[in-house]
Amino acid sequence: MSDVSLPSPPEARTAAVIPAAGRGVRLGPGAPKALRALNGTPMLIHAIRAMAASRAVSLVVVVAPPDGTAEVKTLLDAHALPERTDFVVVPGGDSRQESVKYGLDALPPGVDIVLVHDAARPLVPVDTVDAVIEAVRDGAPAVVPALPLADTVKEVEPAAVAGETEPVVATPERARLRAVQTPQGFDRETLLRAHETVTDDVTDDASMVEQLGVRVVVVPGHEEAFKVTRPLDLVLAEAVLARRRLNDGF
């Protein structure tokens, strides 16, 4: 038997796509949600840094508002980002689904794992990002981080007119429910096939993969990976950043 060891197989390359073309109307008038400041820095920059904090992520593709590509490029140039990670900005589409597809189209050959991350989740810890990547590396074609629900959930018949009462239809078993976060991780070919096949309007990419009949698995999410959607969420996010500065000693 030869003593010569065989070379290790190349490690799968990982890229992150961040759709940031939405307006964020629930945060009120002004700049697009992803460009709102959080502790003086746009949420988008926080989200990009969160993805690039994982040493496995070699490329971040930012999908900008269709008329805001130059602005987002200027934004990236103005903020310190990890030098080991490449950054690309592409224009988005009219829907989140279309914007993610444009981000996928910008990926170079050699990327095997794709993360899709909401720009409005700026504080996701790197351990959560790494857990998603690791699960895809271990063979799962689609992975989502998620948390158990603290509240009881009711299924209702939506009111025909805003403000009217809504009758309860059912109370799902809470132990079987999870609140899904991002980044969601995918085998690249699986995600591409989903975007080429599924035309239904969906709220996340994992739902598209589910419609292919492909198994999606869950890894533990994190309470700090919440979505900044309403003004109160900004207050909470500022508090999280203040706690991090205190714990990190700066």
Side-chain angles (χ1 to χ4, degrees), residues 26-52:
R26 281 176 288 181
L27 276 177
K33 178 165 58 177
L35 304 185
R36 300 293 181 91
L38 180 58
N39 193 35
T41 300
M43 280 201 293
L44 176 58
I45 297 298
H46 286 285
I48 292 171
R49 287 172 175 166
M51 295 300 97

Side-chain angles (χ1 to χ4, degrees), residues 122-179:
L123 303 179
V124 57
V126 68
D127 288 350
T128 302
V129 181
D130 287 340
V132 171
I133 296 170
E134 193 61 34
V136 180
R137 282 181 176 167
D138 287 345
V143 180
V144 297
L147 292 175
L149 298 182
D151 298 322
T152 296
V153 175
K154 301 288 186 184
E155 181 184 353
V156 303
E157 184 67 39
V161 179
E164 288 188 351
T165 58
E166 298 177 323
V168 171
V169 175
T171 303
E173 184 182 348
R174 189 172 65 185
R176 297 177 62 86
L177 301 177
R178 297 291 183 271

Side-chain angles (χ1 to χ4, degrees), residues 38-221:
L38 180 58
N39 193 35
T41 300
M43 280 201 293
L44 176 58
I45 297 298
H46 286 285
I48 292 171
R49 287 172 175 166
M51 295 300 97
S54 170
R55 302 194 72 86
V57 175
S58 58
L59 170 67
V60 176
V61 177
V62 181
V63 188
D67 58 351
T69 305
E71 180 183 3
V72 171
K73 287 181 178 178
T74 300
L75 201 66
L76 266 61
D77 290 340
H79 290 83
L81 298 171
E83 292 184 0
R84 68 171 183 272
T85 308
D86 293 327
F87 302 94
V88 174
V89 180
V90 299
D94 294 331
S95 67
R96 182 188 185 280
Q97 197 167 330
E98 191 176 18
S99 292
V100 172
K101 180 60 167 62
Y102 289 162
L104 294 176
D105 291 343
L107 297 178
V111 171
D112 304 295
I113 296 173
V114 181
L115 305 179
V116 181
H117 183 59
D118 295 333
R121 297 184 189 272
L123 303 179
V124 57
V126 68
D127 288 350
T128 302
V129 181
D130 287 340
V132 171
I133 296 170
E134 193 61 34
V136 180
R137 282 181 176 167
D138 287 345
V143 180
V144 297
L147 292 175
L149 298 182
D151 298 322
T152 296
V153 175
K154 301 288 186 184
E155 181 184 353
V156 303
E157 184 67 39
V161 179
E164 288 188 351
T165 58
E166 298 177 323
V168 171
V169 175
T171 303
E173 184 182 348
R174 189 172 65 185
R176 297 177 62 86
L177 301 177
R178 297 291 183 271
V180 173
Q181 303 175 323
T182 69
Q184 299 184 354
F186 305 90
D187 166 76
R188 179 181 183 172
E189 293 306 316
T190 299
L191 185 57
L192 284 174
R193 184 157 58 93
H195 275 269
E196 290 165 356
T197 306
V198 178
T199 57
D200 296 349
D201 188 22
V202 296
T203 56
D204 73 343
D205 295 271
S207 298
M208 300 176 70
V209 172
E210 289 170 43
Q211 291 190 41
L212 296 179
V214 174
R215 185 168 179 251
V216 178
V217 301
V218 168
V219 296

